[in-house]
Amino acid sequence: MGTSTGITTRGRLALRAAKAAAWASQKAGRGKGSMIGGLIALKIDPTLMKQLGHGRRTVLVTGTNGKSTTTRMTAAALATLDDVATQPDGANMDAGIVSTLASNLTAPLAAIEVDELHTPHVADALDPQAIVLLNLSRDQLDRVGEINMIERKLRAGLQRHPDAVIVANCDDVLVTSAAYDNPNVVWVAAGAGWANDSVSCPRSGEPIVRDGDHWYSSGSDFARPQPHWWVDDENLYGPDGLVLPMKLTLPGRANRGNAAQAVAAAVALGADPAEAVAAASIVEEVAGRYSTVQVGPHSVRMLLAKNPAGWQEALSMIDPAVDGLVIAVNGQVPDGEDLSWLWDVRFEHFDGVQVVASGERGTDLAVRLTYAGVEHTLVSDPLRAIASCPPGRVEVLANYTAFRDLNTALAKGSAHA
């Protein structure tokens, strides 16, 4: 089953132009060219995304944190059914989505990561069978804006798709509010390690009261729904008494929640639960995240975090027995230029770990670490920061462009070696 037969003459012209632009970008050494190809294709035919999505059974994955990981797990689980189109690199806005779908015209399934702000109109174009809502918390205020505004936009967008299965994290107050009015919701208790952005009800403004895992609004009947799926440290639990052992390759409690939502989405499209769990469990790195590389005498594990909730989760994954910890922070446009969020992150628990503050905004980070009482050194260049650590295991925790640039530098180093 393919989508190519549903593409118009103008759409085919757009695809040819995109392919040529991507080829030129690669020849010029400016990357893979997927973004420029997608941008040019959409300029020629603004309806191309809808055409490329026609005839596919699509799952969209959105939220503040965990999109790339959950999309990779969803794609793996869906691949137990048939061929799947999905992003290799997390390009989650219109141009990247178009390039992804154009790169595999015949796949009958798609697992697509989508930026929160883009989700409503991408859903309108692709008419997904399932939409996965992971979590909502403050991200880049200078780009995204206030999180309650995002919740309202998502809520309105979801209501245009009453036939879609909404796979929603019922531990997240804002996600629950976005999905609450839809007729076809699969609730997953995927965890909520960060609750600082949901102290009040997004519907009534009244305080949210928390009682163990349960929460409720003190001003309305809005409350945590009963989950259909949930996890503990050993198993995934599902409908009708389903219990499946789940041992993931990826670390951290948050990734167990991500896997639960990925499996629930794949099952909603017809996957066998046990096969979906097995497929999601062997995902081991996502665009360099969680990968381990050898840099001279250092075995370096790479972790990425982009906002307070993500940082808090990533910090919980740091092994306290490591020989060094490099924390690298930039403040470029993709990161958000406002780094005031550093003061929301709890850095206080690094007794006994040799910490190095790094990145273009390493000085900002060093001030925060000083106030947290964390002993540290300041080495702005992340490669030199790694080299300054004692030989052995080093964890690197970096935000978006710091992570990207360090990966590039490591790749060049290995190529020269």
Side-chain angles (χ1 to χ4, degrees):
M1 178 181 181
T3 62
S4 55
T5 54
I7 296 175
T8 65
T9 302
R10 188 183 187 92
R12 292 178 187 280
L13 174 64
L15 289 174
R16 285 197 293 271
K19 192 172 183 179
W23 178 84
S25 178
Q26 290 168 15
K27 285 294 182 183
R30 301 180 69 89
K32 296 178 182 176
S34 58
M35 290 302 294
I36 188 65
L39 287 167
I40 287 173
L42 285 169
K43 284 286 186 187
I44 295 171
D45 189 345
T47 71
L48 186 59
M49 188 189 298
K50 185 177 183 70
Q51 295 175 50
L52 290 170
H54 180 72
R56 297 190 208 249
R57 302 167 68 217
T58 298
V59 177
L60 302 184
V61 179
T62 195
T64 309
N65 291 304
K67 291 188 292 292
S68 295
T69 301
T70 308
T71 302
R72 180 67 62 86
M73 289 176 166
T74 303
L78 288 175
T80 64
L81 294 171
D82 212 326
D83 190 23
V84 184
T86 192
Q87 293 111 317
D89 53 5
N92 59 25
M93 299 185 193
D94 294 20
I97 292 167
V98 163
S99 290
T100 293
L101 295 173
S103 70
N104 191 341
L105 291 172
T106 59
L109 299 169
I112 301 295
E113 172 185 344
V114 193
D115 178 84
E116 307 92 285
L117 282 173
H118 288 237
T119 298
H121 72 257
V122 170
D124 292 344
L126 296 182
D127 193 22
Q129 280 202 283
I131 302 173
V132 178
L133 301 182
L134 298 168
N135 48 67
L136 289 173
S137 64
R138 278 173 298 143
D139 200 359
Q140 302 163 19
L141 291 179
D142 44 0
R143 178 183 79 84
V144 177
E146 287 296 339
I147 194 62
N148 284 65
M149 177 269 290
I150 300 293
E151 185 274 322
R152 289 191 295 271
K153 287 188 173 182
L154 271 177
R155 193 193 313 179
L158 293 176
Q159 287 171 11
R160 296 196 295 270
H161 297 277
D163 294 333
V165 176
I166 312 299
V167 180
N169 179 5
C170 64
D171 290 329
D172 188 290
V173 173
L174 290 162
V175 157
T176 302
S177 180
Y180 207 63
D181 301 324
N182 279 69
N184 198 8
V185 184
V186 172
W187 298 108
V188 182
W194 180 267
N196 292 18
D197 296 316
S198 53
V199 295
S200 62
C201 175
R203 292 169 170 248
S204 68
E206 297 297 320
I208 291 290
V209 179
R210 296 181 182 275
D211 180 12
D213 290 335
H214 189 63
W215 56 260
Y216 61 92
S217 170
S218 56
S220 70
D221 61 359
F222 177 61
R224 179 184 186 262
Q226 189 69 26
H228 301 102
W229 297 83
W230 65 97
V231 290
D232 60 20
D233 292 339
E234 302 292 333
N235 300 315
L236 171 65
Y237 303 88
D240 303 318
L242 180 70
V243 182
L244 292 169
M246 187 168 76
K247 184 175 176 60
L248 301 183
T249 308
L250 295 180
R253 167 78 187 182
N255 280 325
R256 294 189 70 76
N258 293 338
Q261 291 196 255
V263 169
V267 169
L269 266 70
D272 174 77
E275 291 181 8
V277 167
S281 296
I282 58 175
V283 172
E284 59 183 2
E285 64 93 17
V286 182
R289 301 166 208 185
Y290 312 110
S291 62
T292 300
V293 293
Q294 194 67 31
V295 184
H298 300 106
S299 174
V300 179
R301 185 171 73 139
M302 304 279 289
L303 298 170
L304 171 70
K306 300 186 249 187
N307 46 56
W311 276 82
Q312 209 63 67
E313 182 59 40
L315 286 167
S316 74
M317 297 182 193
I318 301 298
D319 182 350
V322 292
D323 299 291
L325 169 62
V326 174
I327 307 176
V329 176
N330 288 355
Q332 298 179 24
V333 171
D335 307 301
E337 295 167 314
D338 176 1
L339 294 189
S340 59
W341 55 262
L342 281 171
W343 296 87
D344 295 326
V345 179
R346 297 189 302 276
F347 287 102
E348 280 78 3
H349 66 291
F350 286 119
D351 296 337
V353 178
Q354 182 162 329
V355 178
V356 186
S358 189
E360 297 168 356
R361 300 286 287 274
T363 305
D364 298 66
L365 174 61
V367 171
R368 174 68 186 99
L369 293 174
T370 299
Y371 275 85
V374 176
E375 289 190 21
H376 62 278
T377 55
L378 174 61
V379 181
S380 294
D381 177 73
L383 273 178
R384 290 180 180 169
I386 293 169
S388 75
C389 294
R393 292 187 303 130
V394 176
E395 306 263 46
V396 175
L397 176 54
N399 68 349
Y400 182 75
T401 65
F403 184 92
R404 178 199 67 194
D405 295 348
L406 178 56
N407 262 326
T408 301
L410 290 171
K412 285 180 179 176
S414 64
H416 291 152

